[in-house]
Amino acid sequence: DGSGVVAPRAFRRTIGDFHTPFAGWRQHDAQEFLSIFLAGLSEDVNRTAAKPYIELKDSEGRPDEVVAQEYWTAHCRREQSAVAALFSGQFKSVLRCKVCGHENAAFDPFSFMPISLPEHD
């Protein structure tokens, strides 16, 4: 009838078998658990058998859209799962030389973007 209670003991035990810090009954961070769970699930359903190393070129002043697409294509060659498709994005970072001012942009994949929530008094 759907009104029963489900105890997730078996699920929790299985997670502890694959990631030992989650074994036992200590309290853990929910974001860390979700990150590990989704990474494991993504790896299990990843359709890429061999994950090739892909060397990415420097941005060299090219448009962000071009460089971002190169990074995304490289990411998708290694990660072909529904989890990666639903929970991945790109984060742009720029390295700038303090001496000559040369810049290099990178668009790294992420699954989680932690944000700080303001505290209210």
Side-chain angles (χ1 to χ4, degrees):
D1 67 22
S3 62
V5 175
V6 177
R9 287 184 191 96
F11 176 72
R12 190 171 182 337
R13 191 175 309 114
T14 300
I15 295 295
D17 290 345
F18 287 101
H19 191 71
T20 55
F22 284 99
W25 294 102
R26 294 181 321 189
Q27 185 171 346
H28 294 283
D29 186 299
Q31 187 273 330
E32 181 184 5
F33 170 79
L34 184 60
S35 174
I36 290 165
F37 174 72
L38 288 177
L41 182 61
S42 182
E43 191 62 36
D44 284 351
V45 298
N46 192 351
R47 295 175 301 205
T48 303
K51 294 186 176 188
Y53 171 76
I54 301 167
E55 189 165 342
L56 297 164
K57 299 186 295 186
D58 285 348
S59 61
E60 298 174 349
R62 295 179 295 150
D64 283 351
E65 295 81 15
V66 172
V67 179
Q69 185 60 50
E70 285 179 6
Y71 274 73
W72 190 250
T73 300
H75 171 70
C76 291
R77 286 185 61 199
R78 295 177 53 88
E79 302 295 332
Q80 294 183 13
S81 76
V83 175
L86 291 171
F87 295 103
S88 293
Q90 286 181 295
F91 185 78
K92 180 184 177 183
S93 60
V94 178
L95 293 176
R96 183 175 300 115
C97 177
K98 290 184 178 184
V99 176
C100 69
H102 177 74
E103 292 183 350
N104 186 51
F107 293 83
D108 297 309
F110 68 87
S111 294
F112 291 91
M113 185 183 314
I115 57 172
S116 298
L117 298 176
E119 292 186 27
H120 296 286
D121 293 332

PDB file of all heavy atoms in Angstrom, residues 95-103:
ATOM      1  N   LEU A  95      44.590  31.426 -16.485  1.00  0.00           N
ATOM      2  CA  LEU A  95      45.905  31.664 -15.888  1.00  0.00           C
ATOM      3  C   LEU A  95      46.541  32.842 -16.608  1.00  0.00           C
ATOM      4  O   LEU A  95      46.534  32.899 -17.844  1.00  0.00           O
ATOM      5  CB  LEU A  95      46.802  30.434 -16.043  1.00  0.00           C
ATOM      6  CG  LEU A  95      46.380  29.197 -15.271  1.00  0.00           C
ATOM      7  CD1 LEU A  95      47.301  28.035 -15.608  1.00  0.00           C
ATOM      8  CD2 LEU A  95      46.404  29.478 -13.782  1.00  0.00           C
ATOM      9  N   ARG A  96      47.066  33.777 -15.826  1.00  0.00           N
ATOM     10  CA  ARG A  96      47.654  34.982 -16.392  1.00  0.00           C
ATOM     11  C   ARG A  96      49.067  35.151 -15.836  1.00  0.00           C
ATOM     12  O   ARG A  96      49.270  35.167 -14.623  1.00  0.00           O
ATOM     13  CB  ARG A  96      46.804  36.195 -16.031  1.00  0.00           C
ATOM     14  CG  ARG A  96      47.282  37.502 -16.618  1.00  0.00           C
ATOM     15  CD  ARG A  96      46.319  38.659 -16.310  1.00  0.00           C
ATOM     16  NE  ARG A  96      45.004  38.381 -16.861  1.00  0.00           N
ATOM     17  CZ  ARG A  96      43.896  38.193 -16.106  1.00  0.00           C
ATOM     18  NH1 ARG A  96      43.957  38.259 -14.808  1.00  0.00           N
ATOM     19  NH2 ARG A  96      42.741  37.956 -16.688  1.00  0.00           N
ATOM     20  N   CYS A  97      50.035  35.294 -16.738  1.00  0.00           N
ATOM     21  CA  CYS A  97      51.423  35.515 -16.340  1.00  0.00           C
ATOM     22  C   CYS A  97      51.567  36.929 -15.796  1.00  0.00           C
ATOM     23  O   CYS A  97      51.167  37.906 -16.456  1.00  0.00           O
ATOM     24  CB  CYS A  97      52.356  35.300 -17.531  1.00  0.00           C
ATOM     25  SG  CYS A  97      54.099  35.636 -17.135  1.00  0.00           S
ATOM     26  N   LYS A  98      52.133  37.048 -14.603  1.00  0.00           N
ATOM     27  CA  LYS A  98      52.304  38.367 -13.991  1.00  0.00           C
ATOM     28  C   LYS A  98      53.403  39.173 -14.667  1.00  0.00           C
ATOM     29  O   LYS A  98      53.441  40.395 -14.550  1.00  0.00           O
ATOM     30  CB  LYS A  98      52.624  38.218 -12.503  1.00  0.00           C
ATOM     31  CG  LYS A  98      51.455  37.736 -11.691  1.00  0.00           C
ATOM     32  CD  LYS A  98      51.805  37.694 -10.215  1.00  0.00           C
ATOM     33  CE  LYS A  98      50.615  37.249  -9.396  1.00  0.00           C
ATOM     34  NZ  LYS A  98      50.907  37.290  -7.962  1.00  0.00           N
ATOM     35  N   VAL A  99      54.300  38.498 -15.369  1.00  0.00           N
ATOM     36  CA  VAL A  99      55.418  39.192 -16.015  1.00  0.00           C
ATOM     37  C   VAL A  99      55.015  39.750 -17.378  1.00  0.00           C
ATOM     38  O   VAL A  99      55.141  40.943 -17.649  1.00  0.00           O
ATOM     39  CB  VAL A  99      56.636  38.244 -16.158  1.00  0.00           C
ATOM     40  CG1 VAL A  99      57.771  38.916 -16.914  1.00  0.00           C
ATOM     41  CG2 VAL A  99      57.104  37.775 -14.790  1.00  0.00           C
ATOM     42  N   CYS A 100      54.486  38.860 -18.242  1.00  0.00           N
ATOM     43  CA  CYS A 100      54.204  39.303 -19.618  1.00  0.00           C
ATOM     44  C   CYS A 100      52.720  39.504 -19.903  1.00  0.00           C
ATOM     45  O   CYS A 100      52.354  40.048 -20.948  1.00  0.00           O
ATOM     46  CB  CYS A 100      54.774  38.301 -20.619  1.00  0.00           C
ATOM     47  SG  CYS A 100      53.929  36.709 -20.628  1.00  0.00           S
ATOM     48  N   GLY A 101      51.840  39.057 -19.003  1.00  0.00           N
ATOM     49  CA  GLY A 101      50.408  39.231 -19.200  1.00  0.00           C
ATOM     50  C   GLY A 101      49.751  38.184 -20.076  1.00  0.00           C
ATOM     51  O   GLY A 101      48.550  38.251 -20.338  1.00  0.00           O
ATOM     52  N   HIS A 102      50.521  37.199 -20.558  1.00  0.00           N
ATOM     53  CA  HIS A 102      49.939  36.136 -21.404  1.00  0.00           C
ATOM     54  C   HIS A 102      48.869  35.389 -20.613  1.00  0.00           C
ATOM     55  O   HIS A 102      49.035  35.089 -19.440  1.00  0.00           O
ATOM     56  CB  HIS A 102      51.023  35.157 -21.864  1.00  0.00           C
ATOM     57  CG  HIS A 102      50.488  34.014 -22.664  1.00  0.00           C
ATOM     58  ND1 HIS A 102      50.071  34.154 -23.963  1.00  0.00           N
ATOM     59  CD2 HIS A 102      50.291  32.716 -22.335  1.00  0.00           C
ATOM     60  CE1 HIS A 102      49.642  32.995 -24.415  1.00  0.00           C
ATOM     61  NE2 HIS A 102      49.771  32.097 -23.444  1.00  0.00           N
ATOM     62  N   GLU A 103      47.745  35.094 -21.282  1.00  0.00           N
ATOM     63  CA  GLU A 103      46.636  34.386 -20.642  1.00  0.00           C
ATOM     64  C   GLU A 103      46.377  33.059 -21.343  1.00  0.00           C
ATOM     65  O   GLU A 103      46.556  32.948 -22.563  1.00  0.00           O
ATOM     66  CB  GLU A 103      45.350  35.213 -20.691  1.00  0.00           C
ATOM     67  CG  GLU A 103      45.387  36.446 -19.845  1.00  0.00           C
ATOM     68  CD  GLU A 103      44.067  37.194 -19.854  1.00  0.00           C
ATOM     69  OE1 GLU A 103      43.170  36.866 -20.665  1.00  0.00           O
ATOM     70  OE2 GLU A 103      43.924  38.109 -19.039  1.00  0.00           O
TER      71      GLU A 103
END
